[in-house]
Amino acid sequence: MAKIKNNLKSRYNWIKNLVAVLISVFYFAPFYILLSLSFKTRSDRTSHWIFPKEPTLESYAYAFKNGKIGLAIYNTLIITVISVILVVMIGSIASYPLARRKTKFNKTILSLIVGVMMVPPLSVLVPIYKEMIALKGVNTYWGIIVLSVTYNLPLAIFMFTNFISAIPKSLDEAALIDGCSQFMIFPRIILPNMMPVVSSVLILTGVGIWNDYSFQLYILQKPSLKTITLAMSTFFGESTNMAAAAAAAIIAVLPVIILYLCLQKYFIKGSMDSAVK
């Protein structure tokens, strides 16, 4: 019996490894094609699966010079960094009383916040656009930053609230006994323990804002304010340049990949801890 069980277990592990390899190949294939295309010339019509024998940076140069990718990355960085900082600051501060005071009013507020997460942003795009015109927020950094913060706060508050709820209240009480004021408990005691969930919020909201297209398309109409997603759309038209589009896509995903690699050890822990409660 033991031998049969070992054989079944080894066969199961072999099948599991094979499935894992197939899934990995399925997900990495588009990135390989993207990389292969980015090193080809525009006139190269060989198969996308064949890596060029003589790789060239011509498409990357075209993306920076004609596609204005450098300016687009600069604009996107400003919007993303400021928006994420505001989301983390406002979301963490708002979540502390919601997590510590379990009143019916706070539960209702949290339910409304979660309900807002279910509303598709495009369904309210028309009234938001009219409001931004009235406030003169179109074609401004602050206009798109306000929208980005508003639509990413519910997720941040939800994750922060669940994470803080898992932190024992005894830490707050011990801090009060040691002479810490009520207003200093959060920045000195709670916030330092929130690094895993802060990293998760940074990644989730940062990637969402970096990849946003719908809001940026309507709010940022000036060529000088184009973000990375808007700049990439210029490569597709009457004269589609697939090689330059692939190069622009590689440039666009690099900051996101670097951010994830730097914060990955906190990401999974923070996502799990904020969803357990």
Side-chain angles (χ1 to χ4, degrees):
M1 285 294 293
K3 187 176 181 180
I4 295 175
K5 286 183 179 180
N6 290 333
N7 289 335
L8 289 174
K9 186 176 180 179
S10 62
R11 185 176 299 178
Y12 171 75
N13 289 335
W14 184 85
I15 294 174
K16 184 171 65 174
N17 293 335
L18 178 62
V19 171
V21 170
L22 292 175
I23 293 175
S24 300
V25 170
F26 178 79
Y27 277 100
F28 279 105
F31 291 100
Y32 169 78
I33 293 175
L34 199 65
L35 194 64
S36 173
L37 269 173
S38 68
F39 286 110
K40 290 184 177 182
T41 59
R42 187 175 182 178
S43 58
D44 192 339
R45 302 299 179 185
T46 57
S47 173
H48 299 334
W49 292 98
I50 301 175
F51 199 83
K53 295 180 179 179
E54 297 181 359
T56 176
L57 296 177
E58 176 185 319
S59 298
Y60 289 90
Y62 182 91
F64 275 102
K65 185 177 180 180
N66 298 77
K68 308 294 183 182
I69 291 298
L71 178 62
I73 290 176
Y74 173 77
N75 291 331
T76 311
L77 275 175
I78 290 178
I79 295 167
T80 304
V81 171
I82 296 176
S83 298
V84 168
I85 291 174
L86 290 175
V87 166
V88 171
M89 289 176 60
I90 299 172
S92 58
I93 294 172
S95 300
Y96 181 65
L98 291 175
R100 283 295 186 250
R101 298 177 64 85
K102 301 292 185 179
T103 63
K104 289 185 178 180
F105 179 75
N106 281 356
K107 288 181 179 179
T108 303
I109 294 296
L110 189 58
S111 299
L112 290 174
I113 290 172
V114 174
V116 171
M117 294 169 57
M118 305 297 117
V119 179
L122 290 177
S123 65
V124 291
L125 182 59
V126 174
I128 285 177
Y129 182 69
K130 291 182 66 177
E131 191 66 27
M132 293 306 294
I133 291 177
L135 295 173
K136 297 182 179 180
V138 177
N139 289 324
T140 61
Y141 282 130
W142 73 262
I144 190 64
I145 288 172
V146 167
L147 284 180
S148 300
V149 171
T150 302
Y151 275 90
N152 284 277
L153 264 178
L155 174 63
I157 292 174
F158 174 73
M159 295 183 68
F160 283 141
T161 302
N162 287 342
F163 189 90
I164 295 173
S165 297
I167 299 176
K169 283 187 178 181
S170 57
L171 286 177
D172 300 33
E173 297 168 357
L176 288 173
I177 294 172
D178 289 340
C180 185
S181 66
Q182 189 72 46
F183 293 101
M184 296 305 295
I185 290 176
F186 176 76
R188 290 187 177 181
I189 307 300
I190 304 300
L191 191 59
N193 291 296
M194 292 175 59
M195 281 307 300
V197 70
V198 167
S199 300
S200 299
V201 171
L202 281 174
I203 292 175
L204 293 174
T205 59
V207 172
I209 296 170
W210 184 272
N211 292 330
D212 178 49
Y213 180 77
S214 55
F215 282 143
Q216 295 173 6
L217 176 64
Y218 289 95
I219 302 301
L220 303 177
Q221 299 173 3
K222 283 185 178 179
S224 60
L225 292 176
K226 277 189 176 182
T227 55
I228 192 72
T229 51
L230 300 180
M232 286 183 62
S233 64
T234 60
F235 293 105
F236 301 93
E238 294 181 1
S239 57
T240 300
N241 190 341
M242 294 298 295
I250 292 291
I251 298 169
V253 300
L254 278 179
V256 178
I257 294 174
I258 293 172
L259 176 67
Y260 177 77
L261 291 177
C262 293
L263 301 177
Q264 63 175 331
K265 63 179 180 179
Y266 300 108
F267 177 67
I268 297 175
K269 185 179 186 302
S271 300
M272 294 297 295
D273 290 347
S274 59
V276 166
K277 197 69 180 172

